[in-house]
Amino acid sequence: MIEIFGSKKYKPLLRPAILTAWLGYAMVAFALVFDLGKWWNMWRPIFNWQGNSVLFEVGMCVMGYLTVLTIEIAPAILEGLKLKIKEGGFWQKILNPLEKPIYFLHDVVHAMLPFFILAGVVLSFMHQSSLGTLILIAPTKINTLWYTPILPILFLLSAIMVGYPMVIFESIIASKSFKKEIELDILSSLSRKLPYIMGIYFIFKFGDLIIRFDELDFLKYPSATISFLVEITAGLLVPFFLLLFKRVRRTPGWLFFACLLIILGVALNRINVYLIGYHPTFAERTYFPAIGELLVTTSIICLIMLLYRFFSNYFPVLSGLPEKEEEEKRIIYVLSVKWAWIFRRIAVLLLLIFVLVYSYVHKKSIKESFKVYQTVYSYKVKEKEIPKIQPRTHIMRPKGYQTIYYLSNSILNSKTDYYEPVRFSHRSHDNYLNGNCAVCHHRISFDESDRVEISLEEFHRDM
């Protein structure tokens, strides 16, 4: 809104919003260290591309967007270092040898900002929508209240919808915490736009429910239905009508409450889609985070709050540079207008190249995947017959699923040496699911009425 549409009156909200986003994404990357079994391989997606994988795209976009946010927050950090140099004392002695590089980097970052702002918008649109695309691979496991082909659009629109409320929420809390006056005029003006954005999401959400009404089953999982009604009512309808009233938008308490409802509503939407509405076909228990997982999440939230306070205290985030510094035009290693113009053109060109390269990789990946599929599942390749899938019996499995299949194929087996073994506590995992491997693994159904997976007859026909 500020940099692209030119609404400069919202500029006081810019840096706090960027700081919040930067710390949030950085802590997501930090949390992955706990979630990933082999965290030291986090760098591999950068070099091992899989263009038709949604999860790969999400991972790349999050890494790219964290880089963008680091560049966007850099001016505040560099300006804070410049102020420390001018104040003298202990910090001046330490930073004085770095004075010229700091001034130079500050100029370079400002010249390149248009590229990173543009890239930030593109990357945000890509990965926010892809978080919805990711769940489309499990159509039979997601409750029909949330499973829809337009889930990527709904995820994107809800992410856009929660952006401004998060800025207002953060601004009010920061003002109270730092004992500053709440910028109510700016926040009230910003909140006026929320009903329009919420209205767009509302149209898509309810339009989809109306179109798919015959598919909806409100009685199969009563707890999911209740959670769905809470999400829609408390997280969407109530704040929508509250924000229509000027008195609510002009009262800090009511404005904070309405924005908090929107934030919690979108958070509940994600919990509903990925947890409450997720029903594996043969699962006997629903997933709930362990105490260790809850403690790690709580610790990370506390760390975000601590770091926010640190950067707000020692760098010009909540308040910009002094007026004298803002008016100063002389800086070391000033980049000329011509060089800034060239940087901006190069930035746009690089972004276009990225889009074209990614489109090419995606198209090639689909083509290669289809080629491998045809190769593996054809009876003959270059006049040589490939071994068919061989059945084997597993007496420990539930009745009806004791026959498992394994691929005896040289093409697939040749790839197994590329990967190291992964540590996995299979015994505890198996005990948790009571020996029901079908909860996680794909299977072949022997019941023609079962539409969760293809029937055995269809399997042989496709083969």
Side-chain angles (χ1 to χ4, degrees):
M1 182 179 291
I2 296 167
E3 302 292 352
I4 296 177
F5 295 103
S7 301
K8 300 297 182 184
K9 67 177 179 179
Y10 299 112
K11 200 165 185 179
L13 304 175
L14 178 60
R15 284 186 174 177
I18 292 175
L19 177 61
T20 304
W22 181 55
L23 292 176
Y25 275 86
M27 291 301 104
V28 165
F30 178 64
L32 284 176
V33 174
F34 296 91
D35 282 341
L36 297 179
K38 301 177 72 173
W39 53 267
W40 52 88
N41 282 334
M42 289 175 67
W43 58 270
R44 288 190 179 274
I46 301 175
F47 300 97
N48 303 113
W49 284 32
Q50 175 50 279
N52 58 351
S53 166
V54 179
L55 189 58
F56 162 76
E57 188 266 346
V58 171
M60 289 296 288
C61 283
V62 169
M63 283 191 286
Y65 193 47
L66 179 57
T67 303
V68 167
L69 288 169
T70 302
I71 300 298
E72 288 184 339
I73 198 63
I77 296 175
L78 293 170
E79 287 167 11
L81 296 178
K82 288 164 64 177
L83 286 174
K84 295 295 181 184
I85 293 174
K86 290 192 173 186
E87 288 173 0
F90 173 75
W91 285 108
Q92 185 185 34
K93 294 179 181 179
I94 295 178
L95 297 173
N96 203 46
L98 302 174
E99 181 178 6
K100 289 185 178 181
I102 289 172
Y103 274 76
F104 177 75
L105 282 175
H106 184 266
D107 295 340
V108 171
V109 168
H110 270 288
M112 293 293 290
L113 267 181
F115 163 71
F116 289 102
I117 291 169
L118 187 61
V121 173
V122 174
L123 293 170
S124 296
F125 270 58
M126 289 173 67
H127 87 265
Q128 290 293 352
S129 59
S130 294
L131 289 172
T133 308
L134 189 63
I135 209 68
L136 292 181
I137 65 175
T140 60
K141 297 180 180 181
I142 306 299
N143 193 300
T144 54
L145 294 173
W146 294 283
Y147 187 85
T148 168
I150 66 165
L151 200 59
I153 297 176
L154 293 178
F155 264 60
L156 176 60
L157 291 177
S158 61
I160 295 173
M161 180 181 72
V162 80
Y164 293 160
M166 190 65 203
V167 171
I168 296 171
F169 172 83
E170 167 268 323
S171 179
I172 293 176
I173 287 185
S175 298
K176 290 286 187 180
S177 178
F178 289 97
K179 296 181 173 55
K180 293 168 61 72
E181 185 179 353
I182 297 174
E183 298 167 306
L184 192 57
D185 290 337
I186 299 177
L187 299 181
S188 176
S189 174
L190 187 62
S191 65
R192 286 179 58 190
K193 307 178 190 311
L194 285 176
Y196 298 101
I197 301 173
M198 296 176 70
I200 296 173
Y201 176 73
F202 182 89
I203 292 171
F204 276 84
K205 183 74 173 179
F206 280 87
D208 171 70
L209 292 174
I210 292 171
I211 293 172
R212 298 187 304 107
F213 186 78
D214 293 338
E215 303 174 11
L216 306 181
D217 189 349
F218 295 94
L219 301 178
K220 187 174 182 180
Y221 297 102
S223 58
T225 302
I226 293 172
S227 188
F228 173 78
L229 293 175
V230 172
E231 172 197 330
I232 295 298
T233 305
L236 185 61
L237 296 179
V238 172
F240 175 81
F241 287 109
L242 282 176
L243 290 168
L244 293 177
F245 296 96
K246 184 177 180 180
R247 183 178 177 182
V248 171
R249 299 195 302 268
R250 296 291 304 176
T251 306
W254 279 108
L255 180 60
F256 179 83
F257 176 69
C259 290
L260 180 61
L261 285 180
I262 298 173
I263 294 169
L264 294 178
V266 174
L268 180 58
N269 171 259
R270 302 303 192 259
I271 293 172
N272 281 338
V273 172
Y274 278 93
L275 292 178
I276 296 177
Y278 185 79
H279 302 288
T281 313
F282 301 101
E284 298 177 3
R285 283 190 273 178
T286 56
Y287 167 77
F288 189 82
I291 294 177
E293 292 176 300
L294 294 173
L295 290 176
V296 168
T297 302
T298 304
S299 301
I300 288 174
I301 293 172
C302 294
L303 183 58
I304 290 176
M305 296 169 66
L306 175 66
L307 292 174
Y308 185 97
R309 195 166 188 87
F310 169 78
F311 283 102
S312 298
N313 278 327
Y314 293 98
F315 297 93
V317 174
L318 297 180
S319 59
L321 288 171
E323 292 184 10
K324 183 179 179 182
E325 180 73 15
E326 290 281 3
E327 294 173 358
E328 237 178 34
K329 300 298 180 183
R330 185 189 62 81
I331 52 178
I332 301 176
Y333 289 98
V334 179
L335 291 173
S336 65
V337 176
K338 178 181 177 182
W339 279 107
W341 181 89
I342 293 174
F343 268 124
R344 288 179 173 88
R345 271 39 181 193
I346 293 175
V348 174
L349 180 62
L350 289 174
L351 185 62
L352 290 175
I353 291 173
F354 168 78
V355 173
L356 291 174
V357 169
Y358 193 88
S359 300
Y360 169 76
V361 171
H362 177 64
K363 186 176 180 180
K364 186 176 180 181
S365 296
I366 293 177
K367 183 178 179 181
E368 291 297 320
S369 297
F370 185 71
K371 182 179 177 182
V372 171
Y373 173 86
Q374 285 186 320
T375 302
V376 173
Y377 288 95
S378 61
Y379 282 106
K380 292 184 178 181
V381 177
K382 295 182 179 179
E383 305 299 330
K384 183 178 180 181
E385 187 172 344
I386 293 179
K388 299 178 183 179
I389 295 179
Q390 304 295 327
R392 191 172 67 179
T393 301
H394 195 307
I395 59 174
M396 297 302 293
R397 284 193 168 195
K399 188 177 180 181
Y401 301 98
Q402 292 181 356
T403 302
I404 63 175
Y405 295 83
Y406 65 97
L407 285 170
S408 177
N409 185 294
S410 58
I411 296 177
L412 294 180
N413 293 340
S414 64
K415 306 296 183 184
T416 57
D417 294 334
Y418 292 174
Y419 305 97
E420 301 171 8
V422 179
R423 287 186 179 182
F424 180 66
S425 180
H426 193 278
R427 180 174 296 175
S428 61
H429 190 76
D430 191 50
N431 291 337
Y432 177 80
L433 297 171
N434 296 325
N436 191 355
C437 304
V439 173
C440 298
H441 295 278
H442 291 291
R443 62 189 180 81
I444 301 299
S445 174
F446 289 87
D447 184 357
E448 292 185 1
S449 63
D450 187 354
R451 307 313 302 161
V452 176
E453 295 285 353
I454 64 173
S455 65
L456 192 62
E457 180 183 352
E458 291 174 311
F459 174 76
H460 287 305
R461 184 186 64 205
D462 292 341
M463 284 298 293

